[in-house]
Amino acid sequence: MAEKRQYTTLKVRLFPTAEQQLLFEKTFGCCRYIWNRMLADAQEFYAAADRHFLPTPAKYKKEAPFLAEVDNQALIQEHGKLSQAFRVFFKSPDVFGYPRFKRKKDDKDSFTACNHVFASGPTIYTTRGGIRMTKAGVVPARFSRRPQAWWKLRRITVERTKTGKYFCSILYETGEKAPEAVTPAPETTIGLKYSMPHFYVADNGERADPPKWLRQSQEKLAKLQRKMSRMQAGSQNYKEAVQKYRLLHEHIANQRRDFIHKESRRIANAWDAVCMRNDALRDLAQAGVYGSVPDAGYGMFRACLGYKLARQGKKLLLVDRCAPTTRTCSACGAVRDAVSCKEKTWACACGAVHNREVNAAKNIKFLGLQSA
């Protein structure tokens, strides 16, 4: 089998020293500065010459000597990100918005640096207890998983969360053998229907029913919010309460992410193909009548299933979101005029009695296999 390039990202927790934290903070600020200066100059040049031109970070180093204190690779990557933002905007302006300026209070603190291998060695590499970075030295880190010996380190992305924790996403390039394509069969294929009460419902009647993490912590969140409303903004007590509030939200997000990865891995290992409807989850969330759609994390679940199946040569078959899967009888194929969301079961003229969500999952599986 032919080899193909495959990319794997390992996310590790960093424990930088006080000096390294200061360097990271400077790098975050320099990345915002260089992005905003390049974007402003690009707009000014376009207004004067009616042409698009994006300057490089080297133009600003004389007037801003503090840029030399941070890793030059982080500044170069900001130039590449802004160039990519303009390319996708010019290609599809209706889909991708015009690049905007970055603000410290709104944007995530992060920077990216590429690894370069010289005769003296690579600029970025992992050690027994940390990651060696340019100018920062060896940053202590905790690895939950170690890379294989033949993996090539391409780049890293360092970020600081709102709770003050530092993480590093390490991108590796691996030469893996292309998996053999698996032909979907009805008995080894499962159809999944998005369900607000159950997360998903399968064509065989299986339901996920994960805990409602946000709902379980709603009382704690409300208590913290009431305390914060009675505190003076900017005081030490207020900052401590905000930190507790952010930590609780981070815990909820970690619970959701853990469930999604475990459940998607279980399904990807158990089935040769998965059929799902290509629901517009953003539209469902904005409608406001289907409960908390973002809290469920179904979009992340669909994305995780896609790449985990692809790495095994399996398929994620997406069905048109406008297909009348709920109104179609899976036994005879007749289509009803309408089915209410409150109607859990319904009977077809052919005599079949259907559970609304299980019937939709069966139709999703049928349409997915047809498109395979």
Side-chain angles (χ1 to χ4, degrees):
M1 293 185 291
E3 286 193 357
K4 69 170 186 177
R5 288 190 300 175
Q6 183 173 291
Y7 295 94
T8 302
T9 302
L10 303 184
K11 190 172 184 179
V12 301
R13 173 81 182 274
L14 298 179
F15 299 91
T17 62
E19 293 78 8
Q20 291 169 339
Q21 289 185 26
L22 180 60
L23 177 62
F24 288 164
E25 293 301 318
K26 289 182 179 180
T27 308
F28 298 147
C30 289
C31 289
R32 280 192 301 270
Y33 173 84
I34 207 72
W35 174 285
N36 292 337
R37 286 300 306 273
M38 290 188 297
L39 180 56
D41 287 349
Q43 292 178 347
E44 184 179 350
F45 185 85
Y46 185 81
D50 198 23
R51 291 181 59 191
H52 173 69
F53 172 74
L54 189 63
T56 61
K59 173 186 174 182
Y60 308 98
K61 289 193 174 182
K62 288 185 178 179
E63 61 183 81
F66 56 85
L67 295 176
E69 299 178 13
V70 303
D71 185 7
N72 185 51
Q73 279 296 314
L75 307 181
I76 294 175
Q77 289 299 312
E78 288 300 309
H79 179 268
K81 292 176 184 177
L82 186 55
S83 300
Q84 176 66 12
F86 273 113
R87 280 196 295 270
V88 296
F89 169 72
F90 292 141
K91 184 178 180 180
S92 303
D94 296 335
V95 179
F96 300 96
Y98 187 83
R100 61 178 181 85
F101 292 97
K102 291 186 176 182
R103 298 194 301 176
K104 183 177 181 179
K105 64 178 182 179
D106 295 337
D107 293 279
K108 182 174 64 174
D109 290 330
S110 66
F111 69 86
T112 302
C114 289
N115 180 31
H116 296 280
V117 181
F118 300 102
S120 57
T123 57
I124 304 172
Y125 56 86
T126 58
T127 64
R128 184 181 182 88
I131 304 173
R132 192 272 177 189
M133 304 180 190
T134 305
K135 294 201 173 182
V138 178
V139 183
R142 184 174 62 202
F143 294 83
S144 59
R145 177 188 174 190
R146 286 285 180 174
Q148 300 296 327
W150 61 87
W151 291 7
K152 297 180 181 179
L153 196 156
R154 290 304 183 190
R155 67 171 180 261
I156 61 171
T157 299
V158 178
E159 64 174 329
R160 185 176 68 88
T161 64
K162 295 293 185 181
T163 57
K165 299 176 183 178
Y166 291 87
F167 291 91
C168 181
S169 299
I170 313 172
L171 179 68
Y172 288 96
E173 180 184 337
T174 63
E176 301 287 345
K177 293 183 178 180
E180 294 184 0
V182 179
T183 304
E187 58 274 7
T188 58
T189 302
I190 188 172
L192 302 182
K193 160 74 168 62
Y194 171 65
S195 171
M196 195 63 232
H198 307 289
F199 188 69
Y200 72 74
V201 175
D203 62 286
N204 55 8
E206 181 183 349
R207 294 173 173 84
D209 289 322
K212 304 294 183 181
W213 303 284
L214 182 60
R215 190 176 301 173
Q216 290 176 354
S217 302
Q218 200 68 47
E219 185 176 346
K220 293 182 180 179
L221 291 170
K223 185 177 180 180
L224 284 172
Q225 287 175 318
R226 285 195 298 268
K227 284 185 176 181
M228 291 164 56
S229 67
R230 295 191 292 266
M231 294 178 182
Q232 182 179 355
S235 65
Q236 186 62 31
N237 289 337
Y238 181 83
K239 292 179 182 178
E240 292 177 1
V242 169
Q243 178 70 358
K244 290 181 181 179
Y245 183 78
R246 289 173 174 173
L247 284 170
L248 185 53
H249 266 295
E250 185 178 77
H251 177 65
I252 296 169
N254 290 338
Q255 288 178 308
R256 183 188 304 113
R257 191 179 299 111
D258 179 71
F259 165 78
I260 287 173
H261 278 289
K262 289 179 178 178
E263 188 67 13
S264 60
R265 172 54 61 194
R266 184 189 68 83
I267 294 176
N269 291 343
W271 300 92
D272 290 344
V274 179
C275 303
M276 306 174 76
R277 196 167 65 179
N278 194 16
D279 291 316
L281 299 175
R282 181 175 297 179
D283 295 343
L284 293 177
Q286 292 175 351
V289 295
Y290 296 94
S292 181
V293 176
D295 180 41
Y298 196 74
M300 183 191 298
F301 175 71
R302 194 165 59 191
C304 290
L305 260 180
Y307 81 80
K308 288 175 182 177
L309 288 168
R311 290 192 174 186
Q312 302 180 50
K314 302 176 181 180
K315 292 183 178 180
L316 175 65
L317 305 172
L318 296 179
V319 177
D320 183 13
R321 64 178 181 177
C322 297
T325 54
T326 305
R327 299 185 289 113
T328 303
C329 174
S330 58
C332 66
V335 181
R336 290 185 61 184
D337 293 336
V339 177
S340 173
C341 294
K342 297 180 180 180
E343 192 176 355
K344 302 299 181 181
T345 60
W346 59 278
C348 181
C350 67
V353 179
H354 300 291
N355 177 285
R356 183 176 61 86
E357 293 182 324
V358 174
N359 174 71
K362 291 180 180 179
N363 291 324
I364 291 171
K365 175 180 176 178
F366 176 75
L367 295 174
L369 287 173
Q370 279 190 330
S371 63

